[in-house]
């Protein structure tokens, strides 16, 4: 999921991030508009990519692994793990959009908060979901943790564009 989210998110981030930072001081509404527009494009493009991969998951796995010792059961098993992982692409793409504004020198603690929260939530989700769902639970845990990161990063930036402090937003989220 990471290379695809990077392929979609990085170009959008390179436009959205600097505009957000530039407008944050002069026009918070323009900053928020640039951020939300970038996020909307990220969700749209990565959502389409995720849907296509979900629709053609078995065919993609077959093409990639048929040359080896993959039988039909292996293809089904791998596809069942691919599908939840694919749905981490939209929130991971949103994280690329949030990356530049979060790394702004005045907000470096916000980036650390987002990433640490993601890692901690991944550990917690994995511990719980693995007990009930095995390896599928770990895959879902990853997807859920990326969603948590994207949500927190987006909330921090929207609050920043609205004039709220990042510390207050982190406590509210």
């Amino acid at each position: 999921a990471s290379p695809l989210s990077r392929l979609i998110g990085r170009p959008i981030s390179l436009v959205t991030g600097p505009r957000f930072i530039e407008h944050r001081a002069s026009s918070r509404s323009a900053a928020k508009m640039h951020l939300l527009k970038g996020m909307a494009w990220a969700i749209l493009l990565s959502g389409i990519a995720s849907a296509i991969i979900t629709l053609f998951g078995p065919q993609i796995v077959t093409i990639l692994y048929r040359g080896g010792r993959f039988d039909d059961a292996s293809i089904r098993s791998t596809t069942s793990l691919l599908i939840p992982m694919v749905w981490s692409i939209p929130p991971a793409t949103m994280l690329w959009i949030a990356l530049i504004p979060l790394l702004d020198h005045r907000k470096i603690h916000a980036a650390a908060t987002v990433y640490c929260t993601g890692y901690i939530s991944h550990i917690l989700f994995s511990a719980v979901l693995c007990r009930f769902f095995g390896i599928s639970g770990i895959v879902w845990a990853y997807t859920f943790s990326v969603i948590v990161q994207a949500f927190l990063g987006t909330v921090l930036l929207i609050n920043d564009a609205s004039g709220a402090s990042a510390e207050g937003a982190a406590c509210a989220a």
Side-chain angles (χ1 to χ4, degrees):
S2 182
L4 188 54
S5 65
R6 189 175 304 129
L7 181 67
I8 296 169
R10 188 177 281 174
I12 299 170
S13 177
L14 291 173
V15 173
T16 302
R19 285 185 179 167
F20 176 86
I21 292 167
E22 174 187 347
H23 289 290
R24 181 176 50 210
S26 61
S27 172
R28 292 193 179 272
S29 62
K32 193 174 185 178
M33 188 264 316
H34 283 295
L35 176 68
L36 294 176
K37 189 175 176 182
M39 292 286 187
W41 276 108
I43 291 169
L44 175 69
L45 295 174
S46 61
I48 290 170
S50 296
I52 290 169
I53 294 169
T54 298
L55 283 170
F56 297 105
Q59 293 84 354
I60 292 169
V61 171
T62 300
I63 290 168
L64 293 175
Y65 296 110
R66 187 56 107 185
R69 295 179 167 245
F70 263 54
D71 58 7
D72 289 339
S74 297
I75 291 170
R76 281 191 302 278
S77 175
T78 303
T79 301
S80 73
L81 296 175
L82 172 70
I83 302 307
M85 182 66 79
V86 161
W87 290 102
S88 69
I89 295 172
T93 304
M94 291 174 64
L95 281 171
W96 276 103
I97 307 306
L99 184 64
I100 291 175
L102 285 174
L103 291 176
D104 181 25
H105 69 281
R106 294 170 293 173
K107 303 294 178 189
I108 196 71
H109 62 281
T113 300
V114 169
Y115 283 95
C116 287
T117 300
Y119 297 136
I120 292 167
S121 67
H122 189 199
I123 292 167
L124 295 175
F125 285 139
S126 292
V128 172
L129 296 177
C130 182
R131 297 181 103 184
F132 297 103
F133 304 105
I135 195 165
S136 293
I138 295 171
V139 174
W140 279 109
Y142 172 77
T143 299
F144 293 151
S145 69
V146 175
I147 291 168
V148 167
Q149 281 183 298
F151 175 77
L152 180 58
T154 303
V155 166
L156 288 173
L157 291 176
I158 288 174
N159 282 343
D160 185 35
S162 299
S165 72
E167 292 84 6
C171 293

